Each structure stands twice: as structure tokens, then as C-alpha cells.
Amino acid sequence: MSTPLHLTVVGSAALDTIETPHGRADDALGGSALYLGAAGSLFAPTHIVAVVGEDFPQQSVEFLAGRGVDLGGLTIAKGPTFRWHGRYHNDMNRRDTLALDLGVFAGFNPQLPTAAAEAGILMLANIDPTLQENVLRQMVKPRLVAYDTMNHWITGSRAAVQSLLRKVDLVLLNDEELALLTGGPATIENAGTLLEMGPRFAVVKKGEHGAILFCKSEPPFLCPAFPVRRPVDPTGAGDTFAGGMLGYLAATGDFGTFSLRRAVVYGTLAASFAVEAFGMNRLQEITLDDVEERFRQFQAMVEF
Amino acid sequence: MSTPLHLTVVGSAALDTIETPHGRADDALGGSALYLGAAGSLFAPTHIVAVVGEDFPQQSVEFLAGRGVDLGGLTIAKGPTFRWHGRYHNDMNRRDTLALDLGVFAGFNPQLPTAAAEAGILMLANIDPTLQENVLRQMVKPRLVAYDTMNHWITGSRAAVQSLLRKVDLVLLNDEELALLTGGPATIENAGTLLEMGPRFAVVKKGEHGAILFCKSEPPFLCPAFPVRRPVDPTGAGDTFAGGMLGYLAATGDFGTFSLRRAVVYGTLAASFAVEAFGMNRLQEITLDDVEERFRQFQAMVEF
């Protein structure tokens, strides 16, 4: 049993107002870095690098400290916290942004404390690729760098995105982002094209339809989603998936095919909890035992 | 090793003109009964019950006879064969019907030859529920009855559909049909409601996203789709899935959970071949060895 690696996550911290067909939550804990931290810390020591405003209710992240998360990289800046207000359509596959206020996130310039910079795994959540490059330079000797981005940067900062793709190990993205990056409609062929652009591994996230892991010179891994009885709020599911996946990889320190596949399953399960309640409410409640129990349920749903 | 059961399929036979982003096929072999027969006959002795017109190119189904399919129930009637002309959108998840001529299919009144009536497994493909009831009455002693329908009958002939649901064992349907039958949006809860309406088993087909098998008092089985490198034409994929699934069940004669799960995998693989070329072109080429080879590939894509 080797010592677990540490996981550093760099991204946003936000207060979300969320409307879904199942209700509404006001100023719910949100943002990619916090979802990543909430999921990753179920598995391994985690460092969060993000910025919040003076209005941020610090006690709302105390559950993270309780899990041993290092919040030394959570800066409190003058001004309001990043706020997002969104409303999901009836099928919850689409949503409209009703209001957006970047607040102090507009001036986010991530500085990694020593402990965060020395982590074995780095997750670059979706922020400006220039900042992502800066973060990468601050890392001492990461063994695995995971990367997320969005359409805005793929189309507006393509050269910066391509430069990052040559430096990272694992890319997490959806079908639409994959098509935009590689210029074709078919997931399987495009994934091959993406891996030629740099990364060793890619995970295509398909929400309620599961995920596919692509590795160079290996068959893909097809992972169905866990069937959630009553999904309430999909916000943060993708970041929670990444947090669960990378947390598991940090815990094992093993980046072989078998471990990567298991990591995708743990990401899937973490996300399945996240959507069961608004914001991070369900992620705050659960322990690793709950995830392991669901892992056994999942195994019983995929054997043949 | 028990003697395989026979499979009887009752549905349409058609000549399809199909346009997809990958090209066009004119008067391609189509119709639910022929797709079902092409897939089912890879596994087990199959009887086709359908009607075609005098214009139907009989030699186009000779490959079925070559696989031992009993075409004694394929009636040749005066008038034109059922013709459908459809055009798929760019993502191939939606299509528009450009022309439709029911021809002799409008007068279809299925009469089962003795051999077909004595089969152990019956597939009622999507036709008027009144005709489906008539077919069911002609069966001698089926061990498993599978059932497909569509929105048109669910909304227009609900009582007849509900009556059939109490008599059949296995229902194959998509998310939209499930929601229409049960009145709710969430697949997992709705599947439970559907099983309370009569059938022992239900398969929710999700196309490129796989399928889920529901059985009473058992965990669901989550089956990803096989990742086809270059899907060309999705026409008939659902019927091919059903043919592969029921053909496998006929070959084993085993309706236990393990066998049903494997059957869903074989249905998935049969459908993955169907979409690789227009109409039935690919299904005509392949043998059971090709399916078994893909089964091994699939296993290597889902293990964790």
C-alpha cells in the first residue's frame, strides 16, 4: 500500500441560484473547484485553489475542512463572490443562464501554496487557458495533469488550448467540445484525433448516458451512468465526476488501464450522488462507505 | 445442450429509400420483420410472417433462405410493396419521412403457417394492436412473447395496447414510448410502472447510448452501445436489436437473468453491424462468427 498522492484542484468557487423542475435553491455552494474538492476529498488529500468574495459564507465549506481538505489556496478578495443563476428545462439536459456576475472571479490569478504545488495530481478546471498555463508552471513535479475547458476557449483561444493539450495527460470533455476541438461529428474517430494532439487519456462525458475513456493503443472503456431514481439538479455533475475520478487515482497512485477504468466508475458514482440534491447538499452528506456501497450496486447492474 | 427454440417474427416488409449524411440507397430491403429475421436467423431457426407486393424482388431475401429462415409466412399480394422514403438529419438522431406508401401492408392480416405458430418465441413487431392480438391467438404454446409498439398506437389505441401488455412477457421500447405509456419522465421509476402493467421484462432502447434491461425484483442491466467507428444508416437498428436478442434467447432456451443480459448484449452487437451500411447490406454479409468476435471486443471494452 503506497502513500496516496495529493490532488490539487484549481477552478471557480461560486454561489449558485438554481431552478429545476424539482424546485429552487438560492446561493447554493457551487463552482468547479468546490465540486471537485467535495468529490476528490472522499478519496484522497485535496488542495483547493480558488477565490471568493468577502460575502462568502466561510462556514459553508467547513465540511471540506472536516474531510481534511487544505483550504490554504482559497483566497478571500474584496468584492462579491462569483454568482450564477440558471434555470433548467423540463428534461434537465438544457439550461438557460438568467444572471451571471463574475465578481472577484474576474480577477482570479491563482497562486499555489507550497502544499498545493507539490501535489502529485493537478486538475485544471475550466478557466482562461492563460491562467491554466500559469498554474501548470507553478507545479513542482506533477505525475498526472487533468484538464477541462469549454467552447468559449476552444473557439476564442484555440492556440492556447492546443498548447495546453500538448502538456496535459488527461482531458475531460463532452461530445460537443470534442467535435469543436477536432472538427468532426463521430466520437470514436474524434477521440483518436484528440489523443494525437497530446494527451494520453481522454474521457468523453455524456451525462445521463455515461462516459467513455479513451487511451492510446487500448480499447475504449464504456461506462454507463448509474441510474439515479430521482435526479434533482445536474449542476456540477461533470466536475464531481472529475473529482471522483482523480481522487480515486490519487488514492491508488496507479495510472494503469485497470485503475483508470475503476477511476471512471468512481467518477460516475460520485456524480450520481451529486445530482440527487441541489448544489453540494448530497455530496456533503456522503462518505466513502456510501460510494463503495453504490460501487457494489453498480457492479451488479453491469455484469453479464 | 437443449434443442434451440424457434423464433417467429411478425411485422412489415418494405422497400426503403434512405438518405443519410453518408449517402443514399434506393429500394433497400427494409421493414421490421425482415430486420428481425436477418438478425434472429444468425442465432436460431426463424419464421417470418409478413406481406410484400408482386413488385418485390424475391431474390433479395434469398440470403435469409440460405440461413434456413422459413419464408412460408411471407405472402405475396396483389399491389405494390410497402415503400418508405426518409431523410436523416446531420446527427442521424432525427429523420423526416418524405414519402410513405403502405401498399399491400395496408391490408396485412397475418396468418401463421403451422411451423410459425408452433415456435417457442414470438416477436410482435410494431403493427396494429388488433392484428397483434390475432397473431397471439394463433400461437400454439409460446414460451416467450416479445412486443413492440409505437406512439401512434399508445395514444390512439391505448386500451388494446394495455390488453396486450397483460399478455406479453417482454416489451421493447424507447424512452419516449415509455413516458407515453406510463405518464412520467424518469426512466427508472417508469420502468417499474410498466412492469406493473403486465410484462416480466422490459428493454429501454437508447440507440447510440445503449439499452437498459428491467426485470421484476432484479437490479436493472445497463448495457452500453458498441462504439461504431462510422455509423452510416440507423434504419432498422431497433428491430435488429430485438432480432439479435430474441435469436440468442431462442438458441439458449434460457430466460434467466444471466441469459437475458447476454441476450441484450447480442442485440446490441447485432444492431452495431446493422448501422454500418445502408439497409440490410451489412447484416447480409455477417455470420455468427463475426458477432462472436465483436462480443469479445465488447467484453474488453466494459471490464473494470
Side-chain angles (χ1 to χ4, degrees), chain A residues 186 188-189 206 208-209 219-222 224-225 227-230 258 261-262 265 295 298-304, chain B residues 186 188-189 206 208-209 219-222 224-225 227-230 258 261-262 265 295 298-304:
Chain A
I188 305 300
E189 285 185 352
K206 303 190 298 167
E208 61 174 320
H209 300 304
F221 172 54
L222 315 172
V228 175
R229 189 156 284 276
R230 193 169 174 275
F258 179 80
R261 287 181 167 207
R262 290 235 150 175
V265 171
F295 183 87
F298 186 74
Q299 277 185 310
M301 293 179 183
V302 296
E303 288 165 347
F304 63 87
Chain B
I188 304 299
E189 285 185 351
K206 303 191 297 167
E208 61 174 321
H209 300 304
F221 171 54
L222 315 173
V228 175
R229 189 156 284 276
R230 193 168 174 276
F258 179 79
R261 287 181 167 207
R262 291 234 149 174
V265 171
F295 183 87
F298 186 73
Q299 277 186 310
M301 293 179 184
V302 296
E303 288 165 348
F304 63 87

Side-chain angles (χ1 to χ4, degrees), chain A residues 103-189:
Chain A
V104 297
F105 186 62
F108 185 38
N109 183 16
Q111 300 300 320
L112 273 56
T114 305
E118 289 177 342
I121 300 186
L122 170 66
M123 172 68 203
L124 294 165
N126 164 38
I127 57 175
D128 186 325
T130 314
L131 299 180
Q132 290 177 317
E133 284 273 6
N134 285 345
V135 169
L136 201 46
R137 273 197 289 269
Q138 294 174 54
M139 291 296 290
V140 177
K141 199 183 171 187
R143 287 188 48 204
L144 187 88
V145 178
Y147 172 67
D148 186 18
T149 187
M150 70 184 293
N151 292 357
H152 175 71
W153 308 116
I154 297 171
T155 51
S157 309
R158 181 171 284 267
V161 168
Q162 284 171 331
S163 165
L164 275 158
L165 286 176
R166 288 192 290 274
K167 293 167 191 162
V168 304
D169 303 288
L170 166 64
V171 178
L172 296 123
L173 73 185
N174 62 31
D175 265 324
E176 196 190 341
E177 291 158 358
L178 178 60
L180 209 54
L181 265 173
T182 59
T187 297
I188 305 300
E189 285 185 352

